[in-house]
């Protein structure tokens, strides 16, 4: 462990096992901010460090929100599919065997009524919160595409970079910037 990080934990022992702080410090750019502050403390450097942590924490909360939103959406999707299949079974009557008896084979009906549940290809399609949806729509196409790949298709930044043919750092930067823009738009809406 970096000696300056040890010094930080010595001054703030209550943060030592905080997962958000640990993940914040594990990023190289945040380590540099922390080291600058610890080596030469100033109000400006403290403010930069605090702003970086707030952005990092927002990313964690936003990711958690999107993950739970997608989870609950998938649960509702399954419930709706089951309910629809129970209410609208497609039955086929056939003669079975020599005895002339019949059997019923249940086949799901690929009804167009169910199509909207299976056509989520963008994050905008999944969002139920109107303010968040509006904020999402203000992003650039590139930012929306990266968020779609990250949160709908659940790809990592590295996988997105491979898919788009760009560097992982470029994807991470665009991803962070998009989340930051969403955060600032949502904060303005709260005011």
């Amino acid at each position: 462990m970096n000696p300056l990080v040890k010094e930080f934990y010595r001054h703030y022992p209550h943060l030592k096992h905080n997962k958000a702080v640990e993940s914040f410090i594990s990023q190289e750019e945040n380590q540099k901010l922390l080291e600058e502050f610890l080596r030469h403390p100033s109000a400006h450097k403290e403010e930069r460090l605090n702003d970086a942590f707030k952005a990092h924490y927002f990313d964690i909360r936003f990711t958690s929100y999107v993950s739970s939103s997608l989870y609950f959406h998938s649960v509702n999707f399954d419930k709706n599919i089951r309910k629809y299949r129970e209410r609208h079974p497609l039955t086929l009557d056939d003669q079975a065997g020599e005895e002339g008896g019949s059997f019923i084979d249940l086949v799901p009906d690929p009804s167009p009524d169910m199509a909207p549940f299976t056509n989520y290809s963008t994050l905008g399609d999944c969002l139920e919160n109107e303010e968040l949806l509006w904020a999402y729509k203000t992003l650039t196409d590139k930012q929306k595409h990266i968020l779609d790949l990250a949160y709908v298709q659940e790809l990592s930044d590295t996988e997105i970079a491979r898919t788009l043919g760009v560097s992982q750092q470029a994807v991470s930067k665009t991803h962070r910037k998009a989340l930051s823009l969403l955060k600032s738009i949502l904060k303005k809406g709260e005011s």
Side-chain angles (χ1 to χ4, degrees):
M1 182 183 290
N2 185 319
L4 289 171
V5 173
K6 285 182 182 178
E7 182 182 334
F8 171 77
Y9 282 134
R10 191 170 49 79
H11 289 292
Y12 305 98
H14 61 285
L15 297 176
K16 189 165 188 166
H17 299 289
N18 184 308
K19 298 287 185 196
V21 172
E22 287 176 4
S23 68
F24 175 76
I25 292 176
S26 71
Q27 296 177 358
E28 189 176 330
E29 62 212 31
N30 296 330
Q31 282 181 12
K32 288 178 183 175
L33 288 173
L34 179 63
E35 288 176 17
E36 286 176 25
F37 172 71
L38 291 174
R39 283 192 177 135
H40 308 286
S42 72
H44 174 69
K45 290 178 183 177
E46 182 178 17
E47 185 178 335
R48 285 182 55 211
L49 185 62
N50 284 335
D51 289 344
F53 182 75
K54 287 175 187 175
H56 177 77
Y57 190 65
F58 173 81
D59 292 350
I60 292 171
R61 287 179 44 221
F62 181 74
T63 301
S64 174
Y65 167 77
V66 170
S67 296
S68 16
S69 178
L70 290 174
Y71 169 77
F72 287 114
H73 177 72
S74 68
V75 169
N76 287 333
F77 170 80
D78 288 341
K79 286 179 185 176
N80 288 331
I81 291 288
R82 262 186 267 118
K83 186 189 303 180
Y84 183 85
R85 286 180 179 163
E86 288 170 4
R87 292 181 182 174
H88 304 93
L90 177 63
T91 59
L92 302 172
D93 291 328
D94 267 346
Q95 295 298 320
E98 298 168 9
E99 297 168 71
S102 67
F103 66 92
I104 297 174
D105 187 17
L106 296 177
V107 179
D109 180 10
S111 169
D113 295 339
M114 293 308 289
F117 291 108
T118 57
N119 288 335
Y120 291 108
S121 58
T122 70
L123 188 57
D125 297 335
C126 301
L127 296 174
E128 294 178 5
N129 180 300
E130 290 299 320
E131 291 86 12
L132 186 56
L133 179 60
W134 181 83
Y136 169 82
K137 288 179 179 179
T138 64
L139 298 175
T140 66
D141 289 339
K142 182 179 178 182
Q143 291 168 332
K144 285 190 267 191
H145 187 58
I146 287 176
L147 291 182
D148 295 341
L149 292 172
Y151 298 109
V152 177
Q153 295 184 21
E154 298 181 345
L155 299 179
S156 69
D157 284 354
T158 305
E159 293 168 325
I160 294 170
R162 246 182 267 131
T163 302
L164 300 178
V166 296
S167 71
Q168 184 267 331
Q169 290 82 359
V171 170
S172 295
K173 182 179 179 181
T174 304
H175 190 163
R176 279 194 313 272
K177 186 173 182 180
L179 294 177
S180 179
L181 286 170
L182 289 175
K183 176 184 175 183
S184 65
I185 291 168
L186 291 174
K187 276 190 171 183
K188 286 178 187 174
E190 290 175 1
S191 305

